[in-house]
Amino acid sequence: MWRDAMAATMSPMHVSSQHSSDFWGETRLLTLEDVLLWPVAMQASRYRRTPKLIRQGDPELYHITLVLPGSGRLRVDHNDRRHMSLVNDLYILNSSYPCDVEVEENELAVGIGVEIPRRHFPLATERAIGRVLGQRIPGQEGFGAVLAHFLSHLVARNSAHQPSDVPRLKQILLDLVTGLVARELDAETALSKETRQRNKFLLIRSYINRHYHDPGLTPRTVAAAHFISPRQLHRLFEAEGITAAAYIRGRRLAAARRRLADPAQYTTSIQSIARRCGYTSAAHFSRSFSAAYGMAPREYRELEHRQQLDTELRTLIRPPVGGRDPIPA
């Protein structure tokens, strides 16, 4: 069953495992039109695509794997390259070339697989991708980090997206893959102007998401960190219908709101929460929060706290099935 599932999702392969008598694996299939994402967790196993299998049929796909926390190391042999993929690494395979991927013995493999038809990329991009096949790509910096975050977000929140979102999400994914390859090859000038701009925006947005807690983060420092002018930064955000300052402010407020609603941080002072979200003044934070959410931070926290207590109380006093008192008289 697992071999058939992998063949239907990726391409026909020889699949083997030392745990074949009690093998365990689970996956889901998410679709962005003809692009497939499949979060997966499975026991140690080996996957080989041979020249004979390729001659029998080739779906002409690029396969991308993002290795997630909880996974063991993956040995990857593809396109005359051999490496060990670690947690947060990415690698790209071409279904038209032989490959051999093995999860280390007694380890789990946890990750996200992506299948992209090769026809989505122009010939120049395909040639570029060919130069990074089978290569270990770090997923904790640059476009690797942006792509890893995007894939994790899609998998974790797929139910939050509407059918009308699918074409745009697919295009973002294709742009990120193209940008990742260009960065690895230092060939960004080969990308179209529109793709470069979208990729630059995604990279900057990811940077803000990682540094919003820094009180020194401003549109000017963001622009300087990416070697562009504040005017260029403004144009990038203007194309998305927002300003850089508003995005930074919204990111900080959203983080503070989550912390205020977190029961584990109920005793943490509001001043401390404000500071951890990039505010140097508790008064400024309170004014900004009130303007955004219609109530002061303390009021919001108390309201959330009461609602959580009410929910817990209703759970405790809910009558049992049949309405009978479980406590004997």
Side-chain angles (χ1 to χ4, degrees):
M1 283 182 64
W2 191 255
R3 185 182 295 114
D4 290 345
M6 293 296 98
T9 305
M10 298 176 61
S11 53
M13 291 174 292
H14 293 300
V15 182
S16 58
S17 174
Q18 294 184 346
H19 305 278
S20 57
S21 61
D22 59 348
F23 182 80
W24 171 88
E26 65 178 27
T27 186
R28 292 183 291 134
L29 193 62
L30 313 176
T31 61
L32 297 177
E33 296 179 338
D34 56 352
V35 174
L36 305 180
L37 286 78
W38 47 287
V40 64
M42 59 191 176
Q43 285 181 298
S45 41
R46 185 179 181 185
Y47 302 81
R48 291 182 299 125
R49 183 153 168 79
T50 63
K52 181 179 179 180
L53 287 174
I54 293 170
R55 288 194 298 270
Q56 291 174 354
D58 182 11
E60 297 190 347
L61 297 171
Y62 285 121
H63 166 82
I64 302 172
T65 288
L66 167 63
V67 185
L68 293 177
S71 181
R73 301 193 302 174
L74 278 67
R75 180 181 58 78
V76 180
D77 187 342
H78 184 60
N79 197 36
D80 296 325
R81 292 190 177 96
R82 297 174 179 83
H83 77 271
M84 298 297 294
S85 275
L86 311 177
V87 170
N88 296 317
D89 283 348
L90 298 125
Y91 61 83
I92 304 175
L93 307 177
N94 185 333
S95 67
S96 301
Y97 298 171
C99 70
D100 189 342
V101 178
E102 185 173 16
V103 185
E104 287 197 323
E105 184 180 357
N106 299 321
E107 296 281 0
L108 291 178
V110 184
I112 299 173
V114 184
E115 311 302 325
I116 303 176
R118 285 165 46 193
R119 63 178 176 272
H120 285 311
F121 298 106
L123 183 59
T125 303
E126 281 212 62
R127 289 171 178 162
I129 293 176
R131 292 161 59 190
V132 299
L133 292 176
Q135 179 175 305
R136 174 179 172 266
I137 303 174
Q140 292 183 299
E141 58 188 24
F143 266 98
V146 179
L147 178 58
H149 176 79
F150 181 72
L151 293 176
S152 299
H153 172 83
L154 279 182
V155 167
R157 301 192 59 191
N158 67 294
S159 61
H161 300 298
Q162 303 298 320
S164 58
D165 298 327
V166 168
R168 177 166 173 77
L169 293 173
K170 173 183 169 181
Q171 187 58 54
I172 291 173
L173 176 57
L174 296 177
D175 286 342
L176 286 176
V177 173
T178 303
L180 174 67
V181 171
R183 275 298 180 92
E184 287 296 304
L185 298 175
D186 195 24
E188 278 195 296
T189 54
L191 304 179
S192 69
K193 179 181 178 181
E194 293 76 13
T195 297
R196 290 200 305 273
Q197 287 180 329
R198 284 196 296 263
N199 285 347
K200 179 69 76 174
F201 173 76
L202 292 169
L203 194 63
I204 290 172
R205 190 176 68 177
S206 177
Y207 178 86
I208 293 172
N209 291 343
R210 297 194 310 273
H211 295 88
Y212 70 88
H213 58 275
D214 179 0
L217 188 75
T218 65
R220 185 171 294 278
T221 62
V222 171
H226 293 84
F227 306 103
I228 60 176
S229 69
R231 184 181 294 275
Q232 289 173 301
L233 180 74
H234 175 71
R235 284 201 297 264
L236 285 172
F237 276 85
E238 187 178 49
E240 301 296 326
I242 192 173
T243 66
Y247 186 82
I248 294 171
R249 183 168 59 252
R251 186 66 183 84
R252 284 172 172 161
L253 286 170
R257 185 179 183 181
R258 285 195 301 273
R259 289 176 180 270
L260 289 169
D262 183 1
Q265 301 189 54
Y266 181 67
T267 58
T268 303
S269 72
I270 290 176
Q271 184 175 3
S272 294
I273 288 177
R275 187 170 57 251
R276 293 171 188 175
C277 294
Y279 290 92
T280 56
S281 164
H284 174 58
F285 166 63
S286 183
R287 288 194 299 270
S288 298
F289 192 94
S290 298
Y293 300 116
M295 63 181 74
R298 193 174 304 280
E299 292 178 84
Y300 177 79
R301 168 185 267 177
E302 292 303 324
L303 177 62
E304 285 291 313
H305 184 59
R306 287 197 301 271
Q307 290 177 343
Q308 290 161 5
L309 291 178
D310 288 345
T311 300
E312 293 175 6
L313 184 59
R314 283 195 298 270
T315 301
L316 290 173
I317 65 174
R318 181 179 295 129
V321 175
R324 301 182 62 182
D325 191 338
I327 303 175

